[in-house]
Amino acid sequence: MPSSSRRRHGRGRGRGRRSGSKKRNWADLPLDAISAVLRKLDHVEILMGAGQACRSWRRAARDDPSLWRRIDMCGHADLFNQVDLHGMAQAAVRRAKGQCEAFWGEYAGDDAFLLFLGEQAPSLKSLRLISCYDVSNEGFAEAIKKLPLLEELELSLSKNVFGQEVFETVGKSCPHLKRFRLSEHRFYSFEDVDYNKNGEALGIATMTELRSLQIFGNNLTNEGLTAILDNCCHLESLDIRHCFNVEMDNTLRAKCAGIKTLRLPNDSTDDYEFIVSNPAWANDSQTQSEDDFDGDMGYDDYYDLDTELGSDDDIYDPSNYIDGIDEDDEEARMILKGLWALMK
């Protein structure tokens, strides 16, 4: 009942004052404490949440380059048709102030971003691109030339980067590359005589310092695998699951004898990170088409910041809760766009 509640509150007030308790002002936390909290979060959460809480938290998230040295924007695929993940990726790299050593992005990268990354992160050592359908051969090849210190590269489910030439560019531009991953949802069988099944394998064969290689669902044959094994002499781990054009004969097995971890075409995929679909064999009308897994989920359909709100809708405007936003600050406007989309 209301009266009973008020009486209990009155008795509690005296005890609260005697114990010295008071409402905590999170904005008054020291900078090192705020930074410790931010380091427990991933970078999308910082950009869209904690890093926008108030002026002191924004300053901590914006002005500490070490917070952005290793940027992880994976695990937020559900946001890519709501917010501009490409723009967020640029904001994250910009905050690193040239110190970024790793960028991992899922749906968070296009050609323009990669060029920006190459210019802003010359010391980058790890690049993982997952489901980055807006990255093309041309944009990727131009950007990778700016990353000579790269040691780890992943291109998973990013189907618009392919072919011998682009991977030869990687081999020439990244002499320190130790780990490479090229993964797909499924294996596709091609009977076209003009299709070079070993093109990508021959490109990978130029990455001569590789220690770890995963090629999942690729069309390479024994010829392509032989080229890789003959040129990448330091391999310690090789994963060619669902590369069904490879037939492991005695010659190939002998070449693989010194590899510590070997996964073959028919080995289990239970520990594979992505969804695995049944192989698509040539002239198999029962096999699901490639378009069913092209990743087109409307990622160009972003919410519009220019939406007019009525007086009753003001509660949904994040600017009411964020002090000090500069209307000319493009980064702030982009982040505000993400907050708006989530709150609507």
Side-chain angles (χ1 to χ4, degrees), residues 17-80:
R17 285 196 299 269
R18 285 194 298 271
S19 64
S21 63
K22 63 178 182 178
K23 185 177 180 181
R24 180 184 295 274
N25 187 348
W26 293 97
D28 291 338
L29 283 175
L31 181 60
D32 57 347
I34 297 175
S35 296
V37 173
L38 293 176
R39 291 181 191 282
K40 299 292 184 180
L41 306 175
D42 72 38
H43 293 92
V44 173
E45 292 172 335
I46 295 173
L47 286 168
M48 296 184 64
Q52 299 301 313
C54 61
R55 185 176 288 114
S56 60
W57 284 66
R58 280 202 308 280
R59 187 180 302 114
R62 183 191 61 211
D63 296 341
D64 181 6
S66 65
L67 185 65
W68 306 91
R69 186 170 290 136
R70 301 186 64 84
I71 300 169
D72 184 355
M73 296 187 65
C74 297
H76 295 278
D78 56 319
L79 294 179
F80 87 112

Side-chain angles (χ1 to χ4, degrees), residues 32 61 68 88 132 140-141 146 185 190 217 271 276 281 284 291 298 324:
D32 57 347
W68 306 91
M88 286 191 174
C132 291
F140 177 82
K146 302 177 183 293
H185 277 305
F190 293 97
D271 61 346
V276 180
W281 302 102
D284 185 356
D291 291 337

Side-chain angles (χ1 to χ4, degrees), residues 78-91:
D78 56 319
L79 294 179
F80 87 112
N81 63 341
Q82 295 180 307
V83 300
D84 183 3
L85 289 175
H86 303 336
M88 286 191 174
Q90 285 203 14

Side-chain angles (χ1 to χ4, degrees), residues 6 26 37 109 139 170 212 230 322 328 344:
R6 284 196 293 271
W26 293 97
V37 173
V170 174
S212 176
D230 286 347
I322 303 175
D328 296 325
K344 288 182 69 176

